[in-house]
C-alpha cells in the first residue's frame, strides 16, 4: 500500500482488523464511518505520512497501539459525543502536543476530564454535517451517490430533491438539490 494516500472506510464495515493498514507509508488521511465500532491492534502502525484521522461516533473499542509510529498526525476528528474510556495512549506524545482534537459541539469539558483525551494541548468543538471540505474538478466521468453511498446516476439534472455526493475524477463534492 505504498501509494495509498487516503482511505474512507464505508458504512458496511463494523471492525477494522489488526495491522490492516500497517506501514502504508503514503497514507495521509483516514475517515472511518460512524458504523465502525472496533479498531484493533496496530491498524495504522507506522503510517508515517498520516496527518488527518476521523474517528467514528460508534467507536466502542480502540486497541492499544492503533497509531504507533504515526507522529505527523495534526487533526483528530472524534465524532463520539462521550470520550471512550481507555487506560493507554493510542497516539504518540508528539500527536498530543501538536495535533488538534476536534470533538462534537458542547463536549469539550468531557474530553478535558478523561484520559487519554485530556493530553491533547488543543481541543476544540464543532458541529458535524457529515461531509466537510470537498472539491470537484472537471476531469473524469461524473458519478452521483446518495448519502448512503448508493450510486444514483451521472446526470445532475435528473436528481430528485435531496443531498448527494458527486465524484468526478479524484475530487468529490456534496450538493443539495431543491
Amino acid at each position: 500500500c505504498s501509494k495509498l494516500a487516503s482511505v474512507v472506510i464505508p458504512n458496511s464495515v463494523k471492525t477494522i482488523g489488526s495491522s490492516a493498514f500497517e506501514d502504508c507509508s503514503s497514507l495521509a488521511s483516514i475517515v472511518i464511518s460512524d458504523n465502525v465500532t472496533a479498531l484493533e491492534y496496530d491498524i495504522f502502525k507506522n503510517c508515517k505520512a498520516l496527518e488527518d484521522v476521523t474517528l467514528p461516533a460508534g467507536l466502542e473499542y480502540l486497541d492499544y497501539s492503533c497509531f504507533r509510529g504515526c507522529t505527523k498526525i495534526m487533526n483528530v476528528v472524534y465524532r463520539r459525543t462521550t470520550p471512550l474510556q481507555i487506560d493507554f495512549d493510542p497516539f504518540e506524545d508528539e500527536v498530543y502536543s501538536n495535533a488538534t482534537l476536534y470533538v462534537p459541539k458542547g463536549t469539550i469539558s468531557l474530553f478535558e476530564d478523561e484520559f487519554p483525551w485530556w493530553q491533547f494541548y488543543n481541543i476544540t468543538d464543532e458541529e458535524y454535517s457529515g461531509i466537510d471540505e470537498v472539491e470537484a474538478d472537471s476531469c473524469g466521468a461524473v458519478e452521483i451517490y446518495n448519502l448512503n453511498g448508493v450510486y444514483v446516476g451521472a446526470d445532475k439534472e435528473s436528481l430528485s430533491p435531496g443531498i448527494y455526493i458527486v465524484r468526478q475524477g479524484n475530487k468529490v463534492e456534496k450538493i443539495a438539490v431543491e
Side-chain angles (χ1 to χ4, degrees):
C1 64
S2 63
K3 295 185 182 193
L4 183 65
S6 66
V7 172
V8 177
I9 305 297
N11 288 330
S12 58
V13 175
K14 303 289 184 209
T15 299
I16 303 175
S18 297
S19 305
F21 297 96
E22 183 175 353
D23 295 321
C24 290
S25 58
S26 297
L27 184 61
S29 173
I30 56 167
V31 176
I32 303 170
S33 80
D34 286 339
N35 289 341
V36 173
T37 59
L39 301 178
E40 294 182 352
Y41 189 80
D42 285 347
I43 293 174
F44 300 103
K45 180 180 176 184
N46 295 326
C47 291
K48 304 274 186 207
L50 191 58
E51 294 181 0
D52 299 309
V53 175
T54 300
L55 297 174
L59 189 62
E60 297 172 3
Y61 179 75
L62 179 65
D63 207 339
Y64 179 76
S65 74
C66 285
F67 298 98
R68 182 186 310 169
C70 302
T71 58
K72 292 187 179 179
I73 295 174
M74 295 305 297
N75 300 294
V76 177
V77 177
Y78 193 9
R79 295 191 171 162
R80 184 179 159 120
T81 56
T82 57
L84 187 63
Q85 297 178 347
I86 52 179
D87 60 358
F88 55 84
D89 287 321
F91 301 100
E92 299 287 353
D93 290 341
E94 297 91 333
V95 174
Y96 294 115
S97 58
N98 297 325
T100 300
L101 174 64
Y102 296 91
V103 298
K105 190 109 180 125
T107 65
I108 287 178
S109 63
L110 298 174
F111 287 84
E112 289 176 332
D113 292 337
E114 187 67 47
F115 180 85
W117 312 106
W118 62 262
Q119 295 182 96
F120 279 92
Y121 289 11
N122 301 306
I123 302 176
T124 189
D125 62 350
E126 61 182 27
E127 287 192 41
Y128 300 115
S129 61
I131 299 172
D132 304 311
E133 300 178 36
V134 291
E135 299 176 15
D137 65 11
S138 60
C139 300
V142 173
E143 299 172 5
I144 303 172
Y145 300 87
N146 66 21
L147 290 180
N148 292 323
V150 176
Y151 178 79
V152 295
D155 181 15
K156 291 180 186 178
E157 303 301 318
S158 65
L159 295 174
S160 301
I163 299 175
Y164 298 90
I165 297 155
V166 179
R167 186 172 113 178
Q168 190 170 15
N170 290 329
K171 303 293 181 180
V172 178
E173 71 177 330
K174 179 172 67 172
I175 64 168
V177 176
E178 296 181 8

